[in-house]
Amino acid sequence: MKSVRCFRWVKDDMTSEHDPQTKWIIGEWKKCEGTIEACDNGLHACKKPMQSMSNVFGDRWFLAEARGTIVEKDDKFASSEMRLIKEIPSMIWKRFALFCAKQGLKFYEKEYPNDKRVSECIQATEDFLD
């Protein structure tokens, strides 16, 4: 059976935001019964990391694998089977968020040249992560 690598968020307690009964264990396949329909029924994830960053439903980010029935919708999909492969360290997505904030700072400063709160916040975040 062909599988798809994907990215998925789960809560700190390893449950899903929209299905608190499902307890995720790394490496263990989960199965969803019934008709698979994105945003309605299935195990949800995104194929690309950037898409996953737009669908954060949890506190921990994982590389995952999906198989079986896969139904795509917009930037995500639902599958009948999925497993978590490896947790992506939080420092990676925190650094990515900082990178995005730094990229957008020039637009904010152009509109509000005398407001240094955002740049100071970005600097404080960078100092903290360092």
Side-chain angles (χ1 to χ4, degrees), residues 56-120:
V56 177
F57 293 103
D59 312 293
R60 298 171 70 180
W61 196 28
F62 286 85
L63 175 63
E65 188 175 18
R67 68 183 184 192
T69 302
I70 295 176
V71 179
E72 296 189 43
K73 182 176 181 180
D74 302 323
D75 61 351
K76 57 189 164 293
F77 68 87
S79 67
S80 59
E81 297 180 57
M82 189 176 293
R83 70 177 173 177
L84 303 179
I85 297 174
K86 181 179 178 180
E87 186 167 6
I88 299 168
S90 65
M91 186 58 70
I92 290 175
W93 50 268
K94 289 174 182 177
R95 287 281 181 191
F96 177 71
L98 179 62
F99 169 80
C100 292
K102 289 171 87 171
Q103 295 302 303
L105 181 60
K106 59 187 168 204
F107 302 108
Y108 184 84
E109 288 180 333
K110 184 178 179 182
E111 187 72 25
Y112 304 100
N114 298 321
D115 186 353
K116 300 300 178 198
R117 294 176 298 168
V118 175
S119 62
E120 289 170 358

